[in-house]
Amino acid sequence: MKIKDSIEGCFQLMGGDFTNAGTASSELKSILSKLGVSQEVVRRAAIAAFEAEMNVIIHAVAGTMHYVVSSEEVRITLTDMGPGIQDIELAMQEGYSTAPDWVREMGWGAGMGLPNIKKNADRFKIDSVMGEGTTLEIVIYTRKD
Amino acid sequence: MLKVNDIIEKIGLDIRVSGDMYKHVTGCYISDLLSDVMAHSKDGELWITLQTHPNIVAVAVIKGLSCIVITNGRLPEPDTVKKAESENITILTTPKTTFETAGLLYNLLRSE
Amino acid sequence: MKLNDIAEIVDGHIIVNSTGGSPDIVSVCSTDLMSDVLRFATKGALLVTALNQSQVIRTAEISDIPAVLMVMGKKMEREMIELAMEKNIALMVTHLPAFTVCGMLYAGGLRSCLED
């Protein structure tokens, strides 16, 4: 990889906007590919970002996806104005979901999102305040050693 | 015609809730969207899904499905199990994917 | 298996194929839940679904899926078709239900994609 200084950027996310949901992750995927990040890291970052982006679209009013790419890692931070997560441990369980029925009928909200993010991240942190919002930090190492 | 318990034996499914095991399996419907199952599944069909929440039992009852098979190693939620027990709906699980389960079942139903 | 051969087996109509060729399909993932797609090693897989939302194409793009097969003759909105064109994802539709499609493709030798 040929990154000297770190490269960063930010996308705006609108809650409920299913039409454009996924565009941020799709752009991030293409940015990472162009930077020469390994295919495996691109894939893991894209999947984790996409799940996190969908969480914002499904649950929050609005949010941002911020990314920093360095020669060491890809760091993706999602901050939203949303309801917050009441019980993070419970939310991490596969199959647990608070998504409404209509979201399930759109092919999402089956409680696999956070577990999928965790699986693809090397480091993963959730901070949430009820009634205010949630911040998710996803870090994926770009180097194997 | 194959019954629920024949299928359990022949393709190796785990029993989570044991309802009417002698129900005839008339066919199979695959879907993870409840509205789709409500609209298109037929009486006596075995339903393959990834959904685990209690609403699946209501759908199976209303549509007269022979049983529910949950794939990919997912397990029914505790409330789903309770509801299925009270409604006498069989719930089976498998670590196999939907595609593989369907492939095996298609072969089995066709050879009958 | 080539996409054209799959189309023949499942009586499918290819409605988008911007790359022009016939992608080689190495495995199959049949689901309507997009997080389920994201769990698997789906590179080169065919996604069989009845979900007719643009999100399906986004998911295919994110997970390197070259082709989507829409079952039950589900109608697709223009946005979904346009997105498939833009993202070079082949889109095929069949009137058959997912069960028949999976059964035929499994019998034809295709296998499930594996957990990532």
Side-chain angles (χ1 to χ4, degrees):
Chain A
M1 208 167 60
K2 32 191 175 201
I3 304 168
K4 282 196 188 107
D5 307 309
S6 63
I7 288 157
E8 59 184 305
C10 190
F11 303 103
Q12 303 295 320
L13 309 174
M14 279 295 294
D17 183 7
F18 268 85
T19 313
N20 293 307
T23 40
S25 308
S26 161
E27 263 184 64
L28 179 64
K29 187 183 183 193
S30 107
I31 290 165
L32 294 177
S33 301
K34 278 178 198 149
L35 286 172
V37 175
S38 80
Q39 271 195 9
E40 193 232 335
V41 171
V42 172
R43 175 182 162 77
R44 283 165 57 206
I47 290 172
F50 190 30
E51 289 283 12
E53 181 179 358
M54 288 313 300
N55 278 346
V56 175
I57 306 297
I58 292 165
H59 297 285
V61 178
T64 55
M65 182 196 288
H66 180 259
Y67 65 87
V68 187
V69 190
S70 68
S71 55
E72 306 285 317
E73 62 182 34
V74 179
R75 180 189 300 263
I76 309 162
T77 312
L78 288 103
T79 309
D80 73 41
M81 282 165 53
I85 302 169
Q86 190 153 28
D87 185 337
I88 292 175
E89 207 180 312
L90 196 57
M92 288 304 303
Q93 278 178 26
E94 202 167 295
Y96 179 82
S97 174
T98 57
D101 286 349
W102 70 268
V103 169
R104 293 174 192 262
E105 293 301 296
M106 302 271 286
W108 297 94
M112 294 188 266
L114 288 175
N116 260 353
I117 296 173
K118 193 182 174 197
K119 202 180 89 180
N120 285 290
D122 288 309
R123 279 193 330 219
F124 169 52
K125 201 173 80 184
I126 308 179
D127 285 308
S128 191
V129 180
M130 288 304 288
E132 287 185 23
T134 302
T135 300
L136 222 76
E137 194 183 80
I138 300 158
V139 177
I140 297 160
Y141 303 137
T142 50
R143 286 208 295 221
K144 282 270 186 274
D145 42 83
Chain B
M1 191 181 279
L2 288 169
K3 298 184 178 70
V4 172
N5 64 349
D6 299 327
I7 286 169
I8 294 169
E9 220 173 90
K10 289 192 166 132
I11 59 175
L13 301 164
D14 300 316
I15 304 170
R16 298 295 164 182
V17 178
S18 167
D20 183 357
M21 297 297 206
Y22 295 97
K23 255 192 141 162
H24 288 293
V25 176
T26 58
C28 171
Y29 198 74
I30 300 176
S31 181
D32 305 316
L33 307 172
L34 270 51
S35 55
D36 185 19
V37 184
M38 285 300 291
H40 301 292
S41 66
K42 293 183 196 79
D43 196 64
E45 280 180 334
L46 172 154
W47 175 21
I48 299 180
T49 191
L50 283 171
Q51 296 284 8
T52 59
H53 60 101
N55 290 351
I56 59 173
V57 178
V59 171
V61 171
I62 295 165
K63 298 295 287 188
L65 304 176
S66 48
C67 62
I68 302 170
V69 177
I70 302 174
T71 54
N72 270 2
R74 300 190 100 204
L75 298 175
E77 291 170 23
D79 285 349
T80 309
V81 169
K82 261 186 245 159
K83 210 166 159 188
E85 280 167 350
S86 73
E87 299 282 0
N88 202 32
I89 291 289
T90 302
I91 299 185
L92 310 166
T93 60
T94 174
K96 294 186 173 84
T97 63
T98 293
F99 181 67
E100 195 180 351
T101 310
L104 298 173
L105 187 64
Y106 183 83
N107 192 32
L108 186 63
L109 292 179
R110 211 177 36 167
S111 63
E112 275 303 302
Chain C
M1 195 184 284
K2 294 281 179 202
L3 191 67
N4 288 344
D5 299 330
I6 290 177
E8 207 152 296
I9 292 173
V10 302
D11 193 17
H13 297 275
I14 298 173
I15 54 173
V16 174
N17 186 14
S18 359
T19 53
S22 185
D24 200 18
I25 300 299
V26 300
S27 61
V28 181
C29 180
S30 173
T31 187
D32 304 314
L33 297 183
M34 296 303 107
S35 292
D36 188 44
V37 178
L38 299 170
R39 258 179 66 173
F40 286 88
T42 46
K43 193 167 184 169
L46 173 75
L47 172 58
V48 175
T49 190
L51 185 68
N52 52 354
Q53 302 277 340
S54 298
Q55 296 303 307
V56 172
I57 306 299
R58 301 257 183 232
T59 306
E61 186 207 357
I62 295 285
S63 42
D64 303 315
I65 287 179
V68 174
L69 172 55
M70 186 64 56
V71 296
M72 298 290 286
K74 283 275 170 76
K75 293 224 169 15
M76 288 167 272
E77 283 179 27
R78 211 184 60 204
E79 283 123 25
M80 182 175 175
I81 295 168
E82 283 173 358
L83 193 63
M85 288 173 172
E86 187 192 321
K87 302 294 182 188
N88 288 333
I89 299 202
L91 195 51
M92 175 161 60
V93 63
T94 175
H95 60 94
L96 295 172
F99 179 59
T100 314
V101 165
C102 290
M104 287 170 148
L105 294 181
Y106 192 87
L110 280 169
R111 288 297 173 261
S112 187
C113 47
L114 303 171
E115 192 114 7
D116 205 356

